[in-house]
Amino acid sequence: FTARLDNQRDLPKFRAKGVEYVVHITNTEDLREVFADMLEVFKQDLAGDDFMAAKFESDNMLKAAHTPPVRAARMTAELLFKHIDKIVQSDATVLSGNFSIRLLKAWVPRGGCALENKHLEERHAFSKHYVRITNSDKRCLLRALVVACAYLQFVAKSITKQVWHTIKANSPTQTKLVAELQIEAGWSFRVDALPEAIRALNRLHPGHDFGVRVYRAEEANRCIFNLPGTEILHLHLVEQHFNVVTKLPAFFGSHHYCAKCEMAYDCNNEKHKCADACSTCKTPGSNCKANRAYCGYAKCPVCKQYDETATHECFVTPPKAKESSAPYVYYDFETYVDSGKQHRVHLVTAATSCEACPKLFPRPRCSEGQVFNFNKEYLDYCLQDTLILREGCLKYTRLIKDICGLDAFVQSNTIAGLAMAVFTTKFMEPNTLGDEGAPVQQPIRLEDALFGGRTEAFVPHAEATETVELRYRDVVSLYPTVNKFDKYPLKAESSGSPGMAEDAKAAYMASFFEREGVRLEKVEENPGLRFVAKIFLNSLWGKFCQRDDLTSTEIVDSYEAWLQRLTDPSIKVKSCEPIGESFMMLEYKPRFGGAGERAFKYANVPIGVFTTSHARLRLYEALEGLGTRGRIPLLPGEYEPPGGSSLGQWTDEVPAGCRMVQFTTGGPKLYRYVVEKPDGSLY
């Protein structure tokens, strides 16, 4: 193979580099062997625990194939072909010509390397609160852990002062303890392997619960790694070398140091303004409450209540409505696809949300004989699209604001999310929505209730006659478990028929109040409002059953945040892409460690599956009445599902005074019907 460097970009903020090669394979007999050789060349500047991601593009490929960022040792030809085969479907000819491969390389901090800038640690070199690790091997991180552990033992008077001085020096005793730790941990020297090292240290010292905090010199001694524990080991990372901090206040040149807010201070604890300090005992970072009786209690992260065991069964608390005064900008991109199958933007139109701006539609048409200015007409046409988008969004936000009192786009970008926001902020009463993370004795797969009960089309075509009627019945959305949400009578108020008499409206409103206990303010036809109301009701139950394994996209602006995502065991990073030199965009999915662990706070599968099960029972009830005749056309005296306009009842979707004359279907969710109006016209 031949590989020509086509582009290169350094990303010093993320300790990374992006490179792009144009590759031509001259021997296609054994592609895996060729790719294995290629990777050996590309990984020459990486250690096995550094990160690497790859992206392949070719004119013969429908779309790019990419691998997620993995350790360089795991970036193998087998892994590459696992992702390439998803795109090329074992068609090796797509790699017979030139193709490009874009690599993202990232280096992780590691111990054991010599210091280039000694001045970063000279300030602490001869301080009593600081132990400088001097080593000739590559085990400074292991040595730092051993020395930090020995210091805590010395403070606890578990070892003598002489033993402490022996261990902190580069002595055979220190080397022996380091070897024991390395054997117990069985790990290398990278910083993200610290959890395993701490677990090994705890096994070597039964009865102890060690944690670790790492402060990085290049980040103004900011904490970049925190592993909780009752006994904390403090390490100082200078470039790629680890030292030991024995006293944090002295290390930061102050009398006190708050680990919770990462702030050094000289005042007493009572005057330190820590956001999480106990107002009674003044302990920074505690979970105490103003009432002294709560001191020592743990705060539940879900219901925000204080509990002694932190294992109580809790309820989800209603959120606060979001507010924002930021202006909106409505925009549209006009693009074309270039020869490289990439979308290129050639025009952007945007408009603010100022309602005083003039509306530019309807647009005047060009008269005969007038010169057609394509650029002007094209710009006007595209701007019209943006202005129409703006008008629709403004009307939608005003509608939601008037009815719900919420800013639609601030709360959520989706109807389902907005429906959940309306329910949780306006109607969810305290202690009504349980947290699914609560332990259960016999866990069951509630999601299984979401499947089954599929429908099918038995009559593909039907026409009405003098003796046969066609009916279109649908169930008014029903939520028996969250009926407070139904007190927004949007659908009922917007379901009026054209020309409905005032006495008929009054009778309908009185009947609705008698059945539902909800007083309607008005009844008038509003198809848009009715559609929004119906989507609200149909979306809420689905939001309760929202999938937790959806891909999330996040943009980070620091190396520490990026490295934390790459090494976080609770997520699986699918891809990462640099945005300029200051940002990195990641896509990842959650990994769940146990039953009941959910990423979405308001997920409650029992409510969702009860809704679908209840609706299925209503469908079965109607089907039982229809029997085996397999058709809905009605003959005189035959059973038909009882109709009504209340929630949970079968409602006639054909307007009053009209009749359905024809029905055609190709299967579930695929149908059309023809309606005849009173004047005989069809639609």
Side-chain angles (χ1 to χ4, degrees):
F1 72 93
T2 58
R4 173 176 57 84
L5 181 62
D6 189 56
N7 193 11
Q8 178 173 315
R9 180 171 57 173
D10 292 327
L11 304 167
K13 184 176 182 178
F14 296 96
R15 292 192 179 186
K17 179 172 63 175
V19 292
E20 183 174 355
Y21 295 93
V22 175
V23 180
H24 177 71
I25 296 179
T26 57
N27 180 10
T28 59
E29 293 183 2
D30 192 345
L31 287 176
R32 278 178 168 76
E33 183 177 351
V34 174
F35 271 82
D37 295 339
M38 190 186 307
L39 286 175
E40 290 300 319
V41 176
F42 293 155
K43 295 192 299 182
Q44 286 181 353
D45 55 347
L46 295 174
D49 56 344
D50 291 328
F51 284 93
M52 184 178 183
K55 183 177 181 179
F56 291 85
E57 290 181 301
S58 170
D59 292 338
N60 298 328
M61 298 171 64
L62 296 177
K63 60 180 180 178
H66 60 83
T67 67
V70 297
R71 302 284 184 185
R74 290 189 53 213
M75 183 63 74
T76 62
E78 287 71 20
L79 179 64
L80 291 180
F81 272 88
K82 174 184 176 181
H83 294 275
I84 293 177
D85 284 343
K86 296 178 181 179
I87 306 299
V88 304
Q89 298 180 348
S90 302
D91 183 7
T93 59
V94 300
L95 301 176
S96 59
N98 292 346
F99 63 90
S100 66
I101 175 171
R102 295 162 58 186
L103 304 175
L104 181 64
K105 304 178 181 180
W107 288 265
V108 300
R110 58 179 54 81
C113 299
L115 284 173
E116 296 180 1
N117 299 316
K118 300 293 181 64
H119 68 278
L120 289 173
E121 66 173 7
E122 285 178 355
R123 174 189 166 202
H124 310 288
F126 302 101
S127 301
K128 294 181 180 180
H129 62 267
Y130 195 85
V131 179
R132 183 173 178 177
I133 301 297
T134 57
N135 60 298
S136 57
D137 53 20
K138 293 186 177 182
R139 299 189 293 180
C140 69
L141 179 52
L142 294 174
R143 292 180 182 274
L145 290 173
V146 167
V147 172
C149 178
Y151 175 75
L152 293 182
Q153 291 177 307
F154 167 64
V155 172
K157 299 182 179 181
S158 299
I159 60 175
T160 64
K161 185 176 182 179
Q162 181 180 359
V163 174
W164 155 239
H165 283 288
T166 301
I167 294 177
K168 77 173 184 176
N170 189 9
S171 63
T173 302
Q174 182 192 103
T175 303
K176 178 183 177 182
L177 294 174
V178 168
E180 293 176 355
L181 177 59
Q182 185 173 1
I183 293 174
E184 181 68 25
W187 66 298
S188 61
F189 315 112
R190 59 183 187 268
V191 66
D192 54 290
L194 271 171
E196 179 55 39
I198 295 300
R199 286 192 289 267
L201 201 62
N202 286 327
R203 290 194 296 268
L204 292 175
H205 299 273
H208 290 268
D209 178 27
F210 292 114
V212 65
R213 291 174 67 92
V214 179
Y215 308 88
R216 186 180 177 191
E218 292 86 351
E219 296 288 334
N221 293 327
R222 187 170 65 87
C223 180
I224 65 169
F225 188 90
N226 181 22
L227 186 65
T230 57
E231 300 174 88
I232 302 298
L233 312 177
H234 300 282
L235 306 185
H236 190 213
L237 177 60
V238 186
E239 291 183 342
Q240 298 182 21
H241 187 81
F242 287 92
N243 294 319
V244 178
V245 178
T246 55
K247 294 183 179 180
L248 276 180
F251 174 74
F252 287 101
S254 62
H255 291 98
H256 305 281
Y257 179 80
C258 177
K260 187 68 178 179
C261 60
E262 297 186 16
M263 179 181 294
Y265 60 99
D266 292 323
C267 59
N268 53 30
N269 285 340
E270 288 79 4
K271 295 183 179 180
H272 172 54
K273 303 297 183 181
C274 181
D276 221 14
C278 176
S279 59
T280 301
C281 64
K282 308 302 180 184
T283 304
S286 72
N287 281 326
C288 302
K289 207 176 181 182
N291 189 338
R292 186 178 297 274
Y294 283 92
C295 285
Y297 279 53
K299 187 177 182 180
C300 174
V302 177
C303 67
K304 310 302 180 184
Q305 301 298 316
Y306 289 81
D307 184 75
E308 186 174 9
T309 61
T311 57
H312 67 296
E313 295 184 2
C314 60
F315 294 90
V316 176
T317 55
K320 295 181 179 179
K322 299 178 183 179
E323 296 182 358
S324 175
S325 58
Y328 288 105
V329 176
Y330 307 90
Y331 61 91
D332 187 22
F333 291 110
E334 302 297 334
T335 65
Y336 68 95
V337 180
D338 63 12
S339 58
K341 299 180 181 179
Q342 297 294 318
H343 282 270
R344 303 296 182 185
V345 178
H346 65 270
L347 177 64
V348 179
T349 55
T352 64
S353 56
C354 176
E355 299 186 38
C357 293
K359 300 178 176 62
L360 300 184
F361 47 85
R363 203 164 47 92
R365 307 174 72 90
C366 293
S367 60
E368 185 176 354
Q370 183 180 356
V371 177
F372 183 81
N373 187 330
F374 176 81
N375 288 339
K376 180 181 181 303
E377 295 296 326
Y378 181 60
L379 178 60
D380 288 347
Y381 178 85
C382 295
L383 185 58
Q384 298 288 337
D385 281 353
T386 304
L387 294 177
I388 292 173
L389 169 67
R390 184 188 67 179
E391 294 305 310
C393 291
L394 288 173
K395 188 170 184 179
Y396 169 70
T397 54
R398 286 194 295 264
L399 179 68
I400 299 301
K401 188 73 173 180
D402 293 342
I403 297 174
C404 309
L406 300 176
D407 190 323
F409 292 119
V410 172
Q411 295 297 326
S412 176
N413 290 327
T414 65
I415 286 285
L418 181 60
M420 178 60 71
V422 172
F423 168 67
T424 54
T425 58
K426 300 295 182 180
F427 299 105
M428 187 177 72
E429 297 179 354
N431 300 335
T432 57
L433 183 61
D435 171 39
E436 275 204 83
V440 292
Q441 295 182 352
Q442 294 182 342
I444 59 176
R445 286 187 52 84
L446 292 171
E447 288 86 347
D448 290 343
L450 294 173
F451 303 97
R454 295 175 176 84
T455 59
E456 185 55 83
F458 297 100
V459 180
H461 180 77
E463 294 189 9
T465 65
E466 294 181 356
T467 58
V468 176
E469 297 182 38
L470 301 182
R471 297 286 177 86
Y472 177 12
R473 292 291 176 86
D474 194 8
V475 175
V476 183
S477 301
L478 176 66
Y479 285 91
T481 56
V482 288
N483 54 10
K484 291 290 183 180
F485 188 67
D486 294 333
K487 287 190 176 180
Y488 266 172
L490 302 182
K491 191 173 180 182
E493 289 185 345
S494 58
S495 298
S497 300
M500 192 175 185
E502 292 299 324
D503 56 345
K505 291 182 180 180
Y508 174 77
M509 295 167 65
S511 175
F512 193 89
F513 175 75
E514 182 180 353
R515 295 191 306 266
E516 305 295 339
V518 178
R519 193 177 300 279
L520 303 180
E521 296 181 0
K522 57 183 178 180
V523 177
E524 60 184 27
E525 185 184 28
N526 189 331
L529 178 59
R530 188 176 189 276
F531 178 78
V532 171
K534 184 174 182 179
I535 294 297
F536 260 50
L537 292 172
N538 289 341
S539 299
L540 186 59
W541 76 266
K543 197 66 177 176
F544 281 119
C545 295
Q546 176 175 302
R547 287 173 49 195
D548 295 280
D549 60 344
L550 298 176
T551 299
S552 299
T553 301
E554 181 180 5
I555 297 177
V556 297
D557 60 357
S558 69
Y559 172 74
E560 288 72 29
W562 186 45
L563 183 62
Q564 182 183 9
R565 299 296 184 275
L566 293 180
T567 58
D568 189 346
S570 66
I571 62 175
K572 179 181 180 181
V573 179
K574 300 178 62 179
S575 67
C576 58
E577 189 81 19
I579 304 177
E581 297 182 357
S582 302
F583 302 95
M584 193 71 72
M585 183 174 67
L586 300 104
E587 291 186 349
Y588 56 85
K589 298 178 67 173
R591 302 179 192 265
F592 299 119
E597 191 175 329
R598 294 193 171 275
F600 180 50
K601 180 180 180 180
Y602 299 105
N604 197 302
V605 178
I607 292 179
V609 300
F610 184 87
T611 302
T612 57
S613 300
H614 196 79
R616 191 175 297 135
L617 290 176
R618 298 304 302 270
L619 176 62
Y620 289 160
E621 181 182 15
L623 291 177
E624 284 183 352
L626 293 173
T628 60
R629 71 183 191 225
R631 55 181 171 81
I632 197 65
L634 300 176
L635 299 177
E638 284 190 320
Y639 166 84
E640 66 172 310
S645 57
S646 298
L647 296 174
Q649 292 184 329
W650 293 95
T651 181
D652 195 340
E653 294 294 312
V654 177
C658 302
R659 73 185 191 102
M660 185 189 302
V661 296
Q662 189 182 87
F663 174 83
T664 306
T665 178
K669 303 292 184 181
L670 179 62
Y671 58 89
R672 63 178 290 275
Y673 59 95
V674 179
V675 175
E676 183 182 55
K677 295 182 178 181
D679 60 3
S681 61
L682 303 177
Y683 72 94

